[in-house]
Each structure stands twice: as structure tokens, then as C-alpha cells.
Amino acid sequence: MKSRKLKVFLIIVAVLVAAKVASTIILTQVETKKMDDPFAHAEKQVFTLDPEEISYIIVRNGNGEEHEFTGDEFDWALDKLNSFEAKRVRGMWPIATGGWSYAIFIGDKSGNKSSYIIRSDSLRCDFVNFIGSSGEFDDFIEYVSLDK
């Protein structure tokens, strides 16, 4: 009797795990296809920003404190974003959630602009989360850290 209950339990767990994996894969495919952003792409290299076209890069915290990158800092920020490679791309459920702690804003000379919620290891564009290395965006966050 215990053996049968254990088998049923393990089958249910396996079905739930398979459903979770399948829904994550499908959700990621759906959300990346819907992603319409002037700068970010659902690929390993997320950004290919042209320094001649980008007019500003700003990092802002959830309290509104911001830092605009200029001069050498602008070149650094542009290179840092262009070198960001996603280790994983994951779709998210299109559900409105609470606020954010840190974001990057990018604008170009044609008037295109976009914003990206950042965490230490990830960047979110619409309902697509690009996960990189641990500490990937810590240098950006440092400019407007809420922990000061």
C-alpha cells in the first residue's frame, strides 16, 4: 500500500515538474517573440548599441535618484551593456507587479527610448528576463545605490 502511494506521489511530482518546464519554455518563446524594443534583442548578446546613435544612458533607483553617464563614463556604460551576454533568457508572466529598485534608461538620436529593470545579475525588458553573471550590473547600481 505504501509503495503504491509513493509511486502515485512520484508520478504526480514528475508531471508537475514537466508541466513547469514546458510552461517556462512556451512562455519564454511567446514573450521573446512579442518583445518589441529598439535596443535589446532576445539573443545571447542582448545589446549592440552604436555609440554614434545613443544619446544618453541613465541609471536610476526606485526613489528617483539618477546618474547620467557622460564622457568616459558613457563609453564605459556603453561597452558594459554591449558586452552583456545572457546565460539564460526567461519569459515572465505578463502580470503587473510592484515597483523596482534600479533601472537603466537608454535613448537614441532618433527619439527611441527604452527602460530596463536591473538586478545584480539580470536585466528585464518587458516580460523577458535576461540572466547573466552574478554581479553583472553591480557597477551600475553602485552609482545610485539605496544602501548608501
Side-chain angles (χ1 to χ4, degrees):
M1 186 65 167
K2 284 184 180 181
S3 173
R4 182 176 176 179
K5 285 183 180 180
L6 179 61
K7 284 181 186 177
V8 169
F9 174 76
L10 291 175
I11 290 170
I12 291 171
V13 169
V15 167
L16 289 174
V17 168
K20 170 68 174 151
V21 169
S23 69
T24 299
I25 291 169
I26 292 167
L27 181 62
T28 299
Q29 292 298 316
V30 168
E31 290 302 326
T32 55
K33 285 181 182 167
K34 290 191 319 187
M35 195 174 99
D36 182 26
D37 188 87
F39 308 116
H41 315 285
E43 299 169 4
K44 184 175 180 177
Q45 183 179 356
V46 179
F47 294 103
T48 53
L49 303 172
D50 181 352
E52 299 297 319
E53 294 297 318
I54 301 301
S55 56
Y56 66 84
I57 299 173
I58 296 171
V59 63
R60 183 182 301 158
N61 67 29
N63 292 338
E65 181 185 351
E66 65 181 38
H67 177 81
E68 183 170 354
F69 296 95
T70 58
D72 290 342
E73 283 183 344
F74 177 86
D75 295 337
W76 168 84
L78 193 80
D79 289 343
K80 182 86 170 156
L81 289 170
N82 279 338
S83 68
F84 172 56
E85 292 189 350
K87 292 184 176 184
R88 290 182 310 190
V89 178
R90 178 168 273 159
M92 301 171 62
W93 291 105
I95 299 171
T97 59
W100 46 269
S101 297
Y102 303 102
I104 292 176
F105 297 83
I106 300 173
D108 69 11
K109 294 175 182 167
S110 299
N112 295 311
K113 50 188 168 186
S114 201
S115 62
Y116 310 93
I117 296 171
I118 58 170
R119 301 181 81 171
S120 178
D121 67 344
S122 64
L123 176 138
R124 191 173 92 197
C125 176
D126 297 326
F127 296 105
V128 178
N129 198 28
F130 298 93
I131 302 161
S133 301
S134 179
E136 186 86 45
F137 293 101
D138 285 350
D139 293 338
F140 283 102
I141 291 169
E142 212 37 54
Y143 282 93
V144 291
S145 177
L146 294 169
D147 296 330
K148 289 181 184 177

